[in-house]
Amino acid sequence: MNVFLNSYHPLCKTKKGRQAAKCCDYPLFVDGSIRREPDFENLNPAITNLCRPNKLIKRLEKGSLVVYMTTIFNSYKQNKHWRLVAVLEVETIVDSHKDAEKWYLDHHKEDVSQNIICDSTEALSIESTSQIPNKHYLKNGKIDQNKWDKLYQNRARNYPKVAICNIWNNIMELSEPKTITRDDMIEIFDKQPGTQNPRKFKSDEWQKFQKIVIKGKGS
């Protein structure tokens, strides 16, 4: 079984994101973009190439696990840390977003994962996101929803494969996920790992991660 470590920017990473969570009644740790990547609120979250195109999907197969943690948090209340939000298990891989939409509808799931680019979904408003600026979707110095979604539409077209997942062992926490400290990271990986290119766990690393983070030390 292949296990990968991936990170994302949660909604609560920014002040505007926390305001969006409060105003729109979103969980704090959903993804902060206009297309939730992944859509953790879906019973079968999809992993797409909208983020970091072609770096993860091509390495996945049925049964692969993807551990999702936040990017680094720095605050005056806590030292540098990450949060374990979910572990997803790949159920199936389809060739396009259109095929993904069909999978959800065929399995009697009216709610298509929101990061699937199709007629059944739409992009969120800028006010519903963490509003982290990125040169790829800025227009006149401001975040432009149409430009942002156009970027994702192009990626869906150029890198169309989708991994449809289950939530592994019910590990999903969107309100107060477990903290992962820098000491934890070093104990597991012997260093602070990068996740821009999702890391594949070595067997001993995955065992240590389960013991230290998922089960908790002393379990």
Side-chain angles (χ1 to χ4, degrees):
M1 175 179 64
N2 295 325
V3 186
F4 297 90
L5 181 64
N6 204 6
S7 64
Y8 76 104
H9 292 283
L11 188 62
C12 63
K13 191 74 181 281
T14 66
K15 182 179 180 180
K16 289 181 179 179
R18 293 188 291 275
Q19 290 172 344
K22 184 176 181 179
C23 292
C24 303
D25 197 27
Y26 292 137
L28 287 169
F29 285 86
V30 294
D31 177 64
S33 73
I34 59 171
R35 295 277 184 177
R36 308 295 197 209
E37 180 60 44
D39 180 4
F40 291 127
E41 293 182 281
N42 196 291
L43 292 176
N44 289 100
I47 301 173
T48 74
N49 281 299
L50 299 189
C51 181
R52 298 170 192 158
N54 220 28
K55 289 187 176 181
L56 178 60
I57 300 286
K58 65 181 181 181
R59 302 161 68 192
L60 299 178
E61 58 189 22
K62 181 178 173 61
S64 294
L65 299 183
V66 183
V67 176
Y68 274 93
M69 67 179 189
T70 63
T71 51
I72 297 172
F73 274 81
N74 287 296
S75 73
Y76 67 92
K77 293 182 179 179
Q78 290 179 283
N79 293 326
K80 181 186 292 185
H81 69 283
W82 300 256
R83 297 293 190 99
L84 170 66
V85 174
V87 181
L88 304 184
E89 180 179 17
V90 177
E91 168 69 19
T92 188
I93 297 175
V94 296
D95 290 330
S96 70
H97 284 239
K98 183 177 180 179
D99 290 339
E101 180 187 29
K102 184 176 185 302
W103 186 93
Y104 283 97
L105 298 178
D106 286 351
H107 287 75
H108 308 291
K109 299 180 185 298
E110 294 182 2
D111 294 326
V112 178
S113 191
Q114 197 262 339
N115 54 341
I116 302 301
I117 307 291
C118 64
D119 292 338
S120 300
T121 65
E122 59 183 23
L124 297 172
S125 67
I126 296 299
E127 293 73 26
S128 299
T129 74
S130 54
Q131 299 188 50
I132 297 175
N134 185 299
K135 63 180 181 180
H136 294 297
Y137 46 76
L138 290 179
K139 185 176 182 180
N140 298 324
K142 296 183 179 180
I143 298 174
D144 184 271
Q145 191 220 36
N146 291 332
K147 193 172 182 180
W148 196 350
D149 201 39
K150 187 69 173 179
L151 170 71
Y152 285 162
Q153 290 175 32
N154 289 337
R155 286 181 177 174
R157 188 162 46 250
N158 294 327
Y159 305 97
K161 287 197 172 183
V162 174
I164 299 170
C165 304
N166 297 310
I167 300 167
W168 186 73
N169 282 358
N170 294 315
I171 298 176
M172 173 77 72
E173 177 52 60
L174 299 177
S175 297
E176 193 58 46
K178 289 184 177 180
T179 296
I180 305 172
T181 67
R182 188 172 184 277
D183 287 342
D184 292 335
M185 287 292 204
I186 292 173
E187 186 171 351
I188 294 164
F189 300 106
D190 296 324
K191 62 180 180 180
Q192 181 178 312
T195 55
Q196 184 62 32
N197 188 18
R199 180 191 182 98
K200 182 179 178 181
F201 280 89
K202 298 175 183 177
S203 178
D204 64 316
E205 292 172 345
W206 175 230
Q207 291 175 8
K208 286 189 284 187
F209 189 90
Q210 290 181 85
K211 180 179 180 181
I212 294 169
V213 179
I214 293 179
K215 295 179 181 178
K217 290 182 180 181
S219 299

